Amino acid sequence: MAALTVDIRGKRFPAVAGAPAKEALGRVAFNVAEGETVALIGPSGCGKTTLLNLAAGLDGQAEGTVCRPAAGRLAYVFQEPRLLPWRTVEDNLRLVLADPSDPQERIGGLLAEVGLLQARHVFASRLSLGMARRVALARGFIVEPGLVLLDEPFASLDAPTARRLRLLLLRLLALHRTAALFVTHDLDEAIMLAHRLVFLSATPGRLVRELRIDLEPAERHDPAAVARKRLEVMGLPEVAGLLELDVEEPGP
Ligand SMILES: Nc1ncnc2c1ncn2[C@@H]1O[C@H](COP(=O)(O)OP(=O)(O)OP(=O)(O)O)[C@@H](O)[C@H]1O
């Protein structure tokens, strides 16, 4: 069974307190195979976060279905790290474990994987954004998820930090054999990380194109190979149009 099967026919937010109803999504159907990484790309406001929330089950109100294996665990890495600032790095990880007495080594092992072993006793309020994002990734992976959802996990970082974190995510996904669905505005990032790209139209987002990215692992680490692939992708007519459309249409 796939790690995630999405078959949405539409998603509408009803009118609330004078705000008009909003058609957030049209027809979007795709799946994420076990161990596969899929990037969701589309203009601002097209419904990417709405779709992740449906995939996570945080929102169950849509026409259509979202299926995940019943026994599979899920992790959601939000745009903001959402750590408890008054807890240490280690405690922020321990909080999401079903059994908080899980061995110290498990937490230590993951902190080592994300390069934060030395910072395990530091309060989250003292971390840089890059470090906080590392903790957020570690907190996602510590539950050994079958699927991790990530909503622009590297936004607002300087370029070298963002690159280091992308490489870290590649490593974590391979090491833990986890499937992933992530939202990004950055085509290079999508090509570097994903096996498949799913492009959504402007609002209300509907699937316009799926594209397999057939790069070898070594090529994903090579910015020149990624840039060549980007040019190829941008040459596709439906995609070129979408990438220019990064502005939400005004409401009625
Ligand atoms: N709870 C809500 N109630 C009403 N409308 C909403 C709600 N949440 C989102 N929307 C609207 O639905 C549309 C899709 O929002 P969403 O945040 O999913 O887009 P997005 O593609 O993730 O945007 P961005 O790329 O800018 O983060 C937007 O017009 C947004 O204003």
Side-chain angles (χ1 to χ4, degrees):
M1 185 185 180
L4 175 71
T5 305
V6 172
D7 189 1
I8 300 288
R9 293 190 300 279
K11 162 70 188 174
R12 179 174 214 261
F13 290 108
V16 182
K22 170 75 193 169
E23 299 294 340
L25 289 170
R27 181 81 208 273
V28 186
F30 67 95
N31 54 36
V32 181
E34 275 181 26
E36 186 186 30
T37 302
V38 174
L40 207 49
I41 306 175
S44 186
C46 75
K48 301 179 294 295
T49 299
T50 301
L51 188 53
L52 277 195
N53 289 340
L54 289 167
L58 293 178
D59 180 352
Q61 309 284 312
E63 267 184 78
T65 53
V66 171
C67 298
R68 285 186 279 112
R73 277 190 288 263
L74 175 81
Y76 197 154
V77 178
F78 298 95
Q79 230 173 74
E80 294 306 320
R82 298 194 185 185
L83 305 177
L84 294 182
W86 60 89
R87 298 284 190 126
T88 63
V89 165
E90 182 173 307
D91 284 347
N92 269 278
L93 261 57
R94 188 172 289 113
L95 277 170
V96 298
L97 292 173
D99 178 3
S101 64
D102 268 355
Q104 289 283 98
E105 304 85 73
R106 179 137 168 246
I107 294 176
L110 234 134
L111 287 175
E113 283 174 24
V114 301
L116 282 180
L117 198 51
Q118 303 300 324
R120 67 191 296 168
H121 301 305
V122 173
F123 285 99
S125 57
R126 307 292 298 269
L127 302 174
S128 67
L129 180 59
M131 290 168 87
R133 289 247 163 92
R134 281 174 188 265
V135 180
L137 285 177
R139 184 182 52 188
F141 280 90
I142 202 160
V143 301
E144 291 295 339
L147 173 70
V148 58
L149 305 172
L150 306 105
D151 195 352
E152 295 195 55
F154 313 123
S156 329
L157 293 172
D158 60 83
T161 306
R163 177 165 171 80
R164 277 197 294 276
L165 283 181
R166 288 181 197 118
L167 291 169
L168 171 63
L169 178 59
L170 264 181
R171 208 161 56 235
L172 289 170
L173 288 170
L175 201 61
H176 295 264
R177 297 169 207 262
T178 308
L181 175 64
F182 76 100
V183 165
T184 182
H185 281 108
D186 183 329
L187 190 51
D188 278 20
E189 176 172 295
I191 291 168
M192 178 179 173
L193 297 176
H195 302 115
R196 204 146 44 89
L197 313 184
V198 168
F199 288 96
L200 299 184
S201 70
T203 183
R206 67 187 162 74
L207 193 151
V208 288
R209 173 105 198 205
E210 278 188 64
L211 195 67
R212 177 154 290 284
I213 300 296
D214 49 359
L215 291 181
E216 295 298 325
E219 292 178 296
R220 293 179 185 275
H221 289 73
D222 174 6
V226 170
R228 276 195 301 278
K229 183 56 92 176
R230 175 185 8 100
L231 290 177
E232 207 181 290
V233 173
M234 286 175 76
L236 300 168
E238 323 87 304
V239 171
L242 275 180
L243 295 171
E244 285 162 14
L245 244 182
D246 209 15
V247 182
E248 188 172 0
E249 287 170 7

